């Protein structure tokens, strides 16, 4: 199982950290160059909408899985190529948005993982989803936001 802690470990391995950042920056440049060469310079709000639209297309690949599981015992197998294309679309728009808004995706991901570990400590979950704790934390978070 991939955990936030494991993702953070992978991103932060000293010997691979620079290589990962370089690969990300090269990929970002390729996407940026492609967008520029095609005259694609949408507003950040349009890019954000596109992230959601593409994520919905990814979700569509899983439509009716629960119904199929209940009726037939197994969901339909997924076409990995189609899934990969939708994931790539989401990522494409996400990195485009980050470039447009000057957001360091790797930095904010690392920061978010740290915050989530503080907000949802592993010891409260023990490898299983703790719905009660999760809901209580969400409620506390929303109440604190209202106070600001």
């Amino acid at each position: 199982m991939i955990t936030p802690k494991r993702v953070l470990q992978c991103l932060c391995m000293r010997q691979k950290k620079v290589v990962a950042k370089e690969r990300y920056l090269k990929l970002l440049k390729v996407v940026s160059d492609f967008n520029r060469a095609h005259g694609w310079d949408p507003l950040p709000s349009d890019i954000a909408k596109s992230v959601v639209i593409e994520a919905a297309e990814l979700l569509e690949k899983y439509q009716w899985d629960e119904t199929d599981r209940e009726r037939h015992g197994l969901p339909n197998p997924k076409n990995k190529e189609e899934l990969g294309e939708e994931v790539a679309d989401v990522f494409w728009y996400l990195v485009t948005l980050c470039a447009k808004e000057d957001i360091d995706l790797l930095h904010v991901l690392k920061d978010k993982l740290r915050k989530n570990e503080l907000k949802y400590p592993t010891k409260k979950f023990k490898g299983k989803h703790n719905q009660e704790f999760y809901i209580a934390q969400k409620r506390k978070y929303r109440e604190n936001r209202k106070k600001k």
Side-chain angles (χ1 to χ4, degrees):
M1 183 166 99
I2 296 175
T3 64
K5 191 173 186 177
R6 179 69 186 127
V7 171
L8 188 58
Q9 287 171 343
C10 290
L11 285 174
C12 295
M13 292 174 133
R14 290 178 198 240
Q15 60 273 52
K16 293 185 179 181
K17 187 176 182 182
V18 173
V19 173
K21 180 93 175 187
E22 286 174 3
R23 289 180 69 194
Y24 167 73
L25 291 174
K26 283 180 184 176
L27 186 58
L28 182 60
K29 184 176 178 348
V30 168
V31 170
S32 179
D33 289 349
F34 185 94
N35 290 348
R36 192 173 20 269
H38 290 80
W40 295 345
D41 188 28
L43 295 171
S45 60
D46 290 331
I47 301 169
K49 292 171 193 172
S50 295
V51 169
V52 173
I53 291 165
E54 294 300 339
E57 290 180 15
L58 174 61
L59 182 60
E60 184 180 33
K61 303 296 179 191
Y62 292 91
Q63 191 173 15
W64 308 115
D65 275 3
E66 295 307 312
T67 301
D68 288 346
R69 186 173 287 120
E70 285 181 23
R71 290 186 182 159
H72 309 291
L74 294 172
N76 292 328
K78 303 297 171 226
N79 180 317
K80 297 294 185 188
E81 184 177 343
E82 290 177 7
L83 285 176
E85 287 178 10
E86 298 307 334
V87 168
D89 286 343
V90 172
F91 185 77
W92 187 295
Y93 282 113
L94 193 58
V95 298
T96 301
L97 179 63
C98 288
K100 191 86 162 175
E101 294 290 0
D102 196 27
I103 295 170
D104 181 338
L105 182 59
L106 297 178
H107 173 76
V108 296
L109 177 61
K110 184 177 175 181
D111 189 52
K112 185 63 175 178
L113 288 168
R114 182 188 57 76
K115 288 176 182 176
N116 279 349
E117 186 59 39
L118 292 172
K119 188 175 179 181
Y120 306 108
T122 303
K123 66 183 177 187
K124 295 285 186 177
F125 291 85
K126 298 176 186 163
K128 295 182 181 175
H129 184 68
N130 184 338
Q131 186 71 12
E132 186 177 309
F133 179 78
Y134 177 78
I135 290 171
Q137 287 296 86
K138 279 296 198 187
R139 188 176 302 120
K140 188 164 68 173
Y141 172 76
R142 288 185 183 119
E143 288 170 3
N144 287 337
R145 281 185 56 189
K146 287 180 186 177
K147 292 177 186 177
K148 292 181 180 181

